[in-house]
Amino acid sequence: MKRIIFYFTILATVFMFSCTKEGKVGPQGPAGINGTNGTDGNANVHSYTYNGASANWALSAPNYYCDLTVPEITQSIIDNGAVLVYLSNGSGGWLALPFVQWYNGYGHQYNAVISVGAIRIWVSDSDLTQASNPGTVSFKVVVMDGVTLPKNVDPKNYYEVSNYLNIK
């Protein structure tokens, strides 16, 4: 019995070391077709700037609102993606909504309500009196289809989001 185990062990060792997965290298195939140059970016992310698009605010006392049309916001985006909205600070920076601007003890608040194909921006005052008409304001909207931002990217910081997502 010991001889059988001994011969079986030798036979298994020979088979194990004599097998190889690599074979001879064959001839090189023909060159493939060159692809077309695309633009840099992310196919799952869309970014829009609405410069002065909110000049026509509607009053729904005591609040003002304006509507932004964003066709890329689908039910799938609402269910599985994300929509980020930013307000221009007037000096080249962007502030994430919701945003509260404080004046003499009360807040002037901007909020965004996302729906299929649109965003409604609401402006209200914390003292519940009629807000003043915000005038011409610019917004940036980022629509992401199932994109997950890593923990080191702050979604409230437009520049971190745009750098990570390669938004031009």
Side-chain angles (χ1 to χ4, degrees):
M1 181 69 172
K2 288 183 182 182
R3 276 187 167 182
I4 293 174
I5 294 174
F6 175 74
Y7 288 126
F8 181 75
T9 305
I10 291 176
L11 185 62
T13 305
V14 168
F15 279 122
M16 197 166 42
F17 287 107
S18 64
C19 295
T20 180
K21 291 184 179 184
E22 294 182 26
K24 293 182 179 178
V25 176
Q28 183 172 346
I33 299 171
N34 286 335
T36 58
N37 288 333
T39 58
D40 292 337
N42 189 328
N44 298 332
V45 178
H46 302 277
S47 175
Y48 305 93
T49 303
Y50 296 86
N51 288 318
S54 60
N56 297 319
W57 291 90
L59 178 63
S60 177
N63 306 315
Y64 278 92
Y65 71 90
C66 73
D67 292 322
L68 306 176
T69 301
V70 188
E72 280 71 21
I73 301 176
T74 62
Q75 189 62 49
S76 177
I77 295 289
I78 291 172
D79 293 343
N80 304 308
V83 178
L84 304 175
V85 183
Y86 300 91
L87 165 72
S88 171
N89 70 357
S91 301
W94 297 97
L95 308 163
L97 268 57
F99 175 74
V100 179
Q101 196 169 25
W102 291 99
Y103 299 104
N104 300 324
Y106 75 94
H108 192 66
Q109 184 169 1
Y110 289 82
N111 287 299
V113 178
I114 312 298
S115 60
V116 173
I119 298 173
R120 179 164 281 182
I121 308 292
W122 286 96
V123 178
S124 60
D125 282 350
S126 64
D127 63 0
L128 302 178
T129 61
Q130 183 171 317
S132 58
N133 186 317
T136 302
V137 181
S138 294
F139 296 96
K140 275 197 183 282
V141 174
V142 178
V143 179
M144 299 181 287
D145 182 11
V147 174
T148 303
L149 296 175
K151 290 182 180 182
N152 65 335
V153 176
D154 181 3
K156 294 179 184 175
N157 185 323
Y158 174 74
Y159 298 103
E160 286 186 22
V161 171
S162 65
N163 285 336
Y164 177 74
L165 296 174
N166 198 23
I167 297 172
K168 302 294 182 197

